[in-house]
Amino acid sequence: MSARQLATIALGATLAGALASDAGAQALRVQVLDATTGTAIAGALVAALDANGRVVAEGLSSPDGTRTLRLPAAGRYRLRVRRIGMRPFTGTALAVEGVATREVTLEIPSTRQALAPVRVTADAVCGRTPEGDSRLAELFDQFATALEATRLSLADSAQAVQLEARQFERELAIDLSVVASRTTRTTTGAGRIFVARDAAALAKDGFVVQEPDRGYRFFAPDEAVLASDDFVRTHCFSAPPADSLDEGFAELRFRPAPGRRRPDIAGTAYIDTLTGEPRRITYRYVFPRALLPVAAPHAGGEVQLERLVDGSWFVPRWSI
C-alpha cells in the first residue's frame, strides 16, 4: 500500500469520526494538523468540493491551522488540502446539513513531493489543466497552488501584511530597452497594493491595446490572472526536455494557444526542485506584426513570489 493510500485512509477515518460525533452544518471550521507531530499546519489551501469536484469554498489555514469554510447549501462535500512541496490529499464524502458551525479536524501525513531533476519530454497541454502523474502535471499543480495561495493571502484582511510599494516610471527606446528610470510614488498599506486588469478582459482584448492617439497600453499579469480559468483556457503549458540554466529549478513554460489572435504573453515559471515552491515568473509579449511592426525583445516583465513564516504568500516584485 502506498503512502498516498495510507494518507487517504487516515484522512477518511478522521472525517468519519467527525461525522459520527456531529450532525453537520453549512459552515465547517477545519483544523489541519500534522499526523506525525500533531502540530498545526499554517498556509495550507483548504477547500470544500461538491459532488462534481468543483471548489465551492476555499481558504488558507491560519497560523493555528484553522479555516472556516462557508458552504452554499446542505449536501455532501469532500475536503481537500494542498500544500507547496507536499502531495495533495482529498477526504471521503462528508454529509453537511443544519445551520451551526461544525468542527472538523484533519490529520495529514507530510509526504514530500520533491521534483526530480531528470526531465521527461512531454507534449504541451493547451486550453486545460495538465492532469495525471506526469512531471508537467506536478509542476502545474505546484505553480497553481502557490498562485492561489498568494491570491488568497492578499485578499484576506485578517492575514494581510504591511507592505511598502514603490512605483517606477521608465523611458523606453524604440526597441523597448530602458533609457531612464525613476521612482514616481511610494505607498504603504496592507494586502493588495497593486492589481492587474481583469483576466476575462485580458482573454478577450489581449495584453496590448492600441490607444486612440496610436500609442500602446501594455497590461501585465498578476498572480490572480495567471491562476485564472481564463488564462488556462487561452494558453498551452509544457515542461522542456532540458534542465533549467538556473541550477535547482524546474521550468513550467506557457504560451498562447494555437489560433490565438490577440496580443498575449508567453513565459516561464521557475520552481524549486527541492521545495516545490515557485520563485519567479518571467514573461514576454507576443503580438501580431500588424499591431506592433517593430522588434521588441525587451517587452516583458517578471512576477516574484515569496512565502512568509506563517505560510502566507505575497508578491515582493511585480514589473513590466
Side-chain angles (χ1 to χ4, degrees), residues 61-85:
S61 59
S62 63
D64 65 359
T66 61
R67 184 71 199 190
T68 298
L69 300 176
R70 305 290 178 183
L71 304 176
R76 295 183 67 82
Y77 299 92
R78 291 178 296 155
L79 289 175
R80 183 184 69 189
V81 179
R82 291 190 295 165
R83 291 181 289 164
I84 299 297

Side-chain angles (χ1 to χ4, degrees), residues 82-155:
R82 291 190 295 165
R83 291 181 289 164
I84 299 297
M86 300 292 176
R87 293 192 180 277
F89 300 107
T90 303
T92 55
L94 173 66
V96 178
E97 57 186 24
V99 294
T101 298
R102 174 161 162 201
E103 307 280 343
V104 177
T105 300
L106 305 181
E107 296 182 355
I108 309 296
S110 295
T111 306
R112 184 161 292 280
Q113 182 173 298
L115 297 168
V118 178
R119 299 269 183 196
V120 178
T121 303
D123 294 332
V125 173
C126 299
R128 61 181 176 84
T129 300
E131 298 176 343
D133 296 326
S134 68
R135 180 181 175 83
L136 175 59
E138 290 181 352
L139 287 171
F140 185 88
D141 181 68
Q142 300 300 296
F143 171 72
T145 299
L147 291 177
E148 183 64 11
T150 305
R151 186 187 70 81
L152 291 172
S153 296
L154 292 173

